[in-house]
Amino acid sequence: MNHYLIEDTQALLGGQAGDAVATRRTALKAAFGVGYAASAMPIMAQTAIKTPVTGLVSGEVTIDVNGFKMPAYRSAPAGKTGLPVVLVISEIFGVHEYIADVTRRLAQAGYLAIAPEMFVRQGDPSAYGEIAKLQAEIISKVPDAQVMGDLDATVAWAAANGGNTDKLAITGFCWGGRITWLYAAHQPKIKAGVAWYGRLVGNVTPLTPAHPVALVANLKAPVLGLYGAADTGIPLDTVDKMKTELAQGPAAAKASEFVVYPEAPHAFHADYRPSYRKAAADDGWQRLLAWLKRNGVA
């Protein structure tokens, strides 16, 4: 793995590899959208949020990507159309229970929220019990161009299934936080992005030809960055570098903002993991909802 993937892995482990490494046998039911990914163990059941499905339609759908059938998990208010759309991009663990619940939280707030399974061509992240192996064998092999195409197909699916893609936003966590920045530079219809502790710099490779700090000039919508000062995988100097670039960028870049929580580690929103910090997570969620409203998505 390259230097930045190693940093990501160490941040996810939180310095406690023994606690975070698990075999598939220790996982809860690791089916799509049900249970938690094996490599995300140990699960903190006492803090994991369970959003009710009352009044929602929620579950797996299939999105056509040029003939490829990509699974996704979507939640929306039942019986309604013309809904604002939020793309939800997972951490490296794929679309497991935490991400499914995030879609339900957004649906309870009035959105059609869709979490596509971005790693399905490379493998099944839920089957991995070791973060480092997951990073090396699946995540490092996912091309940015593939992800952008999959998200474009997800937007098209939303437009045909009750969504109003003139009111389109994206939010993502960890790996998905980086993708949030990339997609805000790629998709003209995006009105707002919210990136949770997404990496801003990295090695340039054929699969990852550009990183957020290099794409500021292409931003088509303002992004709210929610980061932790105690994140060992994302040094604060990279946040400062991004702020400098944003200040010199186009209107969408200048309208972007960062919130850095002083004592929050990586994955502070992940309510099912030991990294969860309720105060920062709750504040970030309220800021997300306000950001979407401010930028015309709600």
Side-chain angles (χ1 to χ4, degrees):
M1 289 189 294
N2 67 45
H3 166 71
Y4 293 99
L5 285 178
I6 292 170
E7 279 191 344
D8 283 355
T9 300
Q10 290 172 339
L12 284 163
L13 290 172
Q16 297 182 357
D19 287 339
V21 174
T23 66
R24 190 169 187 174
R25 291 191 302 274
T26 66
L28 301 178
K29 186 180 179 184
F32 182 86
V34 179
Y36 295 92
S39 54
M41 298 294 164
I43 300 303
M44 308 297 286
Q46 68 271 29
T47 56
I49 296 171
K50 297 292 184 183
T51 302
V53 296
T54 307
L56 303 182
V57 55
S58 188
E60 183 178 353
V61 297
T62 301
I63 296 172
D64 183 88
V65 187
N66 298 320
F68 179 80
K69 303 303 182 184
M70 178 178 65
Y73 192 97
R74 71 82 178 83
S75 300
K80 295 186 178 181
T81 59
L83 294 165
V85 177
V86 182
L87 307 178
V88 179
I89 315 304
S90 73
E91 330 120 306
I92 64 169
F93 307 123
V95 183
H96 62 144
E97 177 58 24
Y98 163 62
I99 297 299
D101 198 83
V102 169
T103 72
R104 294 192 288 268
R105 297 173 210 180
L106 285 164
Q108 291 290 8
Y111 295 95
L112 167 58
I114 317 166
E117 182 53 85
M118 314 260 50
F119 312 129
V120 65
R121 293 176 184 79
Q122 281 69 37
D124 176 10
S126 71
Y128 280 73
E130 188 177 341
I131 289 177
K133 191 174 182 181
L134 169 60
Q135 286 273 28
E137 296 185 5
I138 292 185
I139 307 307
S140 66
K141 298 179 181 179
V142 179
D144 287 345
Q146 172 188 295
V147 174
M148 298 299 105
D150 286 351
L151 290 176
D152 287 345
T154 303
V155 172
W157 183 93
N161 289 273
N164 175 6
T165 53
D166 290 330
K167 295 185 174 184
L168 176 67
I170 183 170
T171 190
F173 305 87
C174 185
W175 183 90
R178 174 182 175 272
I179 295 301
T180 295
W181 288 103
L182 266 59
Y183 201 63
H186 166 83
Q187 172 55 255
K189 293 183 75 68
I190 285 283
K191 284 185 164 295
V194 180
W196 301 78
Y197 33 85
R199 186 158 47 84
L200 301 166
V201 302
N203 293 330
V204 173
T205 73
L207 298 187
T208 58
H211 295 280
V213 73
L215 294 171
V216 167
N218 298 329
L219 281 179
K220 297 167 176 65
V223 176
L224 173 63
L226 301 171
Y227 287 71
D231 189 333
T232 59
I234 303 176
L236 287 181
D237 63 349
T238 67
V239 173
D240 291 338
K241 184 176 182 181
M242 189 68 172
K243 287 179 179 179
T244 298
E245 295 295 323
L246 290 169
Q248 300 170 359
K254 289 184 171 70
S256 298
E257 296 179 7
F258 274 91
V259 177
V260 179
Y261 295 96
E263 299 180 2
H266 193 75
F268 63 82
H269 185 269
D271 51 71
Y272 67 102
R273 304 196 72 209
S275 57
Y276 178 54
R277 299 295 183 270
K278 179 174 169 50
D282 289 351
D283 182 79
W285 188 256
Q286 292 307 312
R287 288 178 185 271
L288 175 150
L289 295 175
W291 189 256
L292 299 188
K293 185 174 182 180
R294 186 198 310 181
N295 288 287
V297 181

